[in-house]
Amino acid sequence: MALKYGRALGKIVAANCQGRILTQPRGTTLKTIRTYSASTGDEEPTAAGQTVVSERRGAVVTVAINRPEVRNAVNQETARRLLEELQAFDSDPDLNVAVLHGKGGNFCAGYDLKMLANQKAPLKLEQDVTKGPGPMGPSRLQLSKPLIAAVSGFAVAGGLELALLADLRVVEESAVMGVFCRRFGVPLIDGGTVRLPRLIGLSRALDLILTGRPIGAQEALAYGLANRIVPDGQALQTAIQLAEQISAFPQQCLRTDRSSAMFSCYDAQSFTQAMQYEFDHGVQVIQAESIPGAIRFTSGAGRGGEFS
């Protein structure tokens, strides 16, 4: 297992240093549909050369990093487009869940270090995290609706940070995750040191942050970093099916419970404050969704734990 990761690590290092990328296209059962553009709000055919492409499927939207020639490493244009697409998703009342993935067999290899190395002017970054994009684009967002990451190939460095932005991660069997930027002195400034310890605990997070070592899907699952493991080539379709399942639930209640969990994890200063937030926001759902749901239950829906 270590030899497999060592070989994979050698390939990506060589590819980064030589400015070339080894691609491994993956199959998918997702049928081609029309592209949603955040800039126009209209549907249009996927344009060649777009660094980010989005596709609507009912109340679910998929957002794809489209730079397979560099393992979907993110440059400034890609960061801007990712931010625009996820902001468009969050503000669209017709969309309930987004799926983030990468084209061409990899999720994201992090920030484009080749571009950074060739930067002639000083890199301008917004220092106030309450304003503007993060270096990877949407990493500073606090979305009001669920985001699922469909992880294939490499999800490393800033790519790992993008995966951490998601609520859930569907991970393919051969996927590799890790803080690979440790090797080159590139810090985690897109939420990696904030979200990773919350998800998997400080001890395990420090193991990954300090060593930069790669971990595979099974270890990621044991850590709680992966939520589902699927065969290679199936992460996107599985993530879409999961998104459609989540999208079918009463959304006000779902988003209220999600918001309370996020508040309790990141913002609450005490148990009492977290409990008060949960009650104050949850009670507002009862008239809108709980009573109609109770009526459906008494009519026979959902008996025996049935979800259909």
Side-chain angles (χ1 to χ4, degrees):
M1 186 68 71
L3 179 60
K4 178 179 74 172
Y5 292 143
R7 288 174 178 169
L9 182 57
K11 289 181 181 180
I12 193 170
V13 171
N16 283 340
C17 293
Q18 297 173 18
R20 63 181 177 83
I21 292 297
L22 305 174
T23 60
Q24 182 183 355
R26 306 269 177 110
T28 177
T29 57
L30 176 64
K31 58 186 180 181
T32 301
I33 53 182
R34 295 172 70 82
T35 297
Y36 173 74
S37 170
S39 59
T40 64
D42 298 323
E43 293 184 351
E44 59 188 30
T46 302
Q50 284 186 305
T51 60
V52 175
V53 291
S54 298
E55 299 176 337
R56 298 182 74 133
R57 178 168 173 158
V60 173
V61 62
T62 63
V63 178
I65 306 172
N66 187 33
R67 303 187 76 214
E69 70 280 1
V70 289
R71 292 190 188 269
N72 294 319
V74 169
N75 59 12
Q76 289 181 310
E77 166 66 13
T78 309
R80 180 184 65 80
R81 292 285 295 119
L82 280 171
L83 177 63
E84 289 175 351
E85 292 294 346
L86 289 183
Q87 286 177 325
F89 152 69
D90 209 40
S91 62
D92 191 329
D94 295 325
L95 293 173
N96 292 334
V97 185
V99 174
L100 180 62
H101 67 109
K103 296 279 190 180
N106 288 284
F107 181 75
C108 175
Y111 196 79
D112 191 334
L113 295 186
K114 184 177 179 181
M115 187 198 77
L116 183 63
N118 295 326
Q119 187 98 12
K120 293 188 172 35
L123 188 62
K124 294 181 179 180
L125 299 174
E126 174 55 61
Q127 307 246 345
D128 187 342
V129 298
T130 66
K131 301 176 182 177
M136 295 293 293
S139 54
R140 295 172 178 174
L141 289 180
Q142 291 181 294
L143 295 169
S144 65
K145 296 183 281 191
L147 173 67
I148 300 173
V151 178
S152 59
F154 286 99
V156 297
L160 174 62
E161 291 180 292
L162 286 180
L164 296 175
L165 175 64
D167 298 71
L168 303 172
R169 282 151 295 280
V170 177
V171 178
E172 293 185 359
E173 290 173 338
S174 68
V176 177
M177 308 176 86
V179 186
F180 281 19
C181 51
R182 178 59 54 235
R183 301 165 295 158
F184 303 118
V186 179
L188 297 170
I189 53 176
D190 282 275
T193 65
V194 178
R195 292 188 175 103
L196 189 61
R198 294 287 189 175
L199 284 176
I200 67 175
L202 180 60
S203 178
R204 286 172 166 173
L206 286 176
D207 180 6
L208 300 185
I209 291 169
L210 297 179
T211 68
R213 68 181 181 86
I215 65 169
Q218 290 296 334
E219 188 173 9
L221 182 67
Y223 275 16
L225 182 54
N227 298 94
R228 309 276 193 282
I229 296 180
V230 297
D232 289 354
Q234 295 186 21
L236 177 57
Q237 188 63 36
T238 302
I240 290 173
Q241 292 171 350
L242 182 58
E244 291 174 338
Q245 177 187 5
I246 293 172
S247 182
F249 293 130
Q251 289 298 296
Q252 184 181 347
C253 180
L254 181 142
R255 293 174 197 173
T256 297
D257 285 349
R258 176 186 179 276
S259 175
S260 180
M262 293 290 189
F263 180 82
S264 175
C265 183
Y266 290 105
D267 297 311
Q269 297 180 2
S270 68
F271 173 79
T272 301
Q273 187 182 27
M275 290 290 286
Q276 193 66 56
Y277 184 98
E278 179 189 65
F279 178 81
D280 289 346
H281 291 77
V283 73
Q284 300 174 29
V285 177
I286 294 176
Q287 190 66 37
E289 290 185 347
S290 304
I291 293 176
I295 293 172
R296 287 193 299 111
F297 176 76
T298 58
S299 299
R303 297 297 175 87
E306 179 62 48
F307 271 70
S308 61

